[in-house]
Amino acid sequence: MVLRISGLSGLFFRLMCCLATHYLIASFTPVFAETRPATVDFSPKLQKAYFEIQKLRINTAREIVDNERNSEADNAFVPYLDNYADLHYLLISEDENAYKKLSALESTRLDFMGRLPDNSPFKRFFQAEIRLHWAFAKLKFGNEVSGSWEIIKAYKLLEENYKLFPQFQPTLKSLGLLHVLIGSIPGNYSWVAKVLGMRGNIQAGIREIQVVGNGNTIFQQEADLIDLLLHAYTLELSPAQQIKIRNWPKEQPDNLLLHFFATTVLMKEGKSEEADKYLSTAPTGPAYIPFPFLNYLKGEINLQRGDYQVASENYLTFLRQYKGFNYLKDCNLKLFMCQWLSGNDRGAKTYLDKIARSGKTIVEADAFATRFAADFEAGKISSGQKVLFKARYATDGGYLKEVSELMRALSENSFQKVAEKAEYNYRTGRIAQKSEQNLNAISSYERVLVLPVQDTEGFCASAALQLGYIYLDLNQKQKAIAYFKKSMSFKNHEYKNSIDNKARAALTKLGQ
């Protein structure tokens, strides 16, 4: 599934506040027409279709399913695969016309699953899976309230299925995911979970997912992938998981999804040079769904390298091929950066003007692009920040030698504004931390926290979070706890949800 895990729980529970009261009078019991019973048969051909979807060979999978549809007319695995394929297509393509057309099929597929006998563990499981698929799709397309309702309904179905069939492992794949997401929500939303009768526990959820990953079901690889993504985006990858994310694409060279996730996870870990190798070896061809976002990732890596001309070409290719609505504002911001950081201020302005006219602000990157454009037009962004943006991108990519040389000639006094001083100290802290120079990192982060907090809350929250991680690594748990809590105390910044989710996950791991 192509989505950002870290922000999902905060978004979900923000919306739940307006739904909690309605839940008290709502019924989740579906009514189905009388018809002949359905069955579940994971035939070899349909299993192949399932794994073809995971490789992003969507058309191949659909051909297999269509060829089996008549002979498998009562097999619930068929509409499940239809729904699974639709999810992957919609999340990658962001095709709004297809979304409107395909979303109308949800109720029909749920009705089909209602034909399964009540004593089948697949009945509620498949119903929950279909609802989760549409929850992720609806959240992706900005239908947040409807998507959140789908999550609540899926949770209730999975809880009931687990109580009825505790030995049925597949339930734990999705129930564990929801337990992690609910367990990582910010504390000020915890009352909502209680009202809705939902419980979360990060460590318990991870164990549930790993039961499926270590088991012997068709859903084993999917559970493994969920486990890796949760650790990469909400928790922390273990050494064994880091090896696995690297080995998987080598073991399955025809799996585009695994190449994509290896690329994005390694980029998140600040290893863009290594990520680029997986990106360059990703399988291509007519069998695979068009995936323009890969060009966007190439642009990101080249921006981090400081190769602005190549980065611009990558971003422009993405814009030509992409039919979706996310990352358009961000892409125009990056095209602005390629010109601005190269010294072409006049050429950069062209892309700045496009930010307001393109895309939506569903993802954090697009929201940031909108704020940056407004701040730049208001004169709040000075040319002195060019070096800070260069440092930011290089540090994010893991180009530590290059960024260290860049920052060596600077000091806090090189900047006039308090926000710039805060950012300078935060960037030097990140460079030191990634270079395993913890004492220097601590000094820089602490300096961020003593500067006036107005207009620097995002850097303060981020600095406190990183101090928590450093002290956790140093086994100074009380200091780690204090800084994780401090990171959550900052209220008005663009990364509130993701930072709070990470801090909450770390605190839960520490027994808080």
Side-chain angles (χ1 to χ4, degrees), residues 233 245 249 256-269 271-272 274-280 282 294 297-298 301:
Y233 286 97
I245 201 70
L256 177 56
L257 186 63
L258 293 182
H259 281 78
F260 168 72
F261 278 126
T263 299
T264 54
V265 169
L266 287 168
M267 289 178 68
K268 179 189 172 296
E269 295 287 309
K271 302 181 185 300
S272 287
E274 187 178 1
D276 193 32
K277 296 176 183 176
Y278 289 94
L279 190 56
S280 63
L294 300 180
L297 294 177
K298 292 176 183 177
I301 292 172

Side-chain angles (χ1 to χ4, degrees), residues 130-141:
I130 287 173
R131 290 198 178 278
L132 273 183
H133 292 169
W134 283 107
F136 295 138
K138 289 175 180 180
L139 292 173
K140 178 81 167 182
F141 282 79

Side-chain angles (χ1 to χ4, degrees), residues 406-435:
L406 180 68
M407 298 292 278
R408 186 167 288 123
L410 303 174
S411 70
E412 183 181 306
N413 293 330
S414 303
F415 304 93
Q416 300 299 316
K417 297 179 180 179
V418 172
E420 292 174 355
K421 293 177 184 291
E423 182 171 0
Y424 165 78
N425 284 289
Y426 179 73
R427 299 297 169 207
T428 58
R430 287 298 285 155
I431 295 165
Q433 184 181 6
K434 290 191 172 189
S435 302

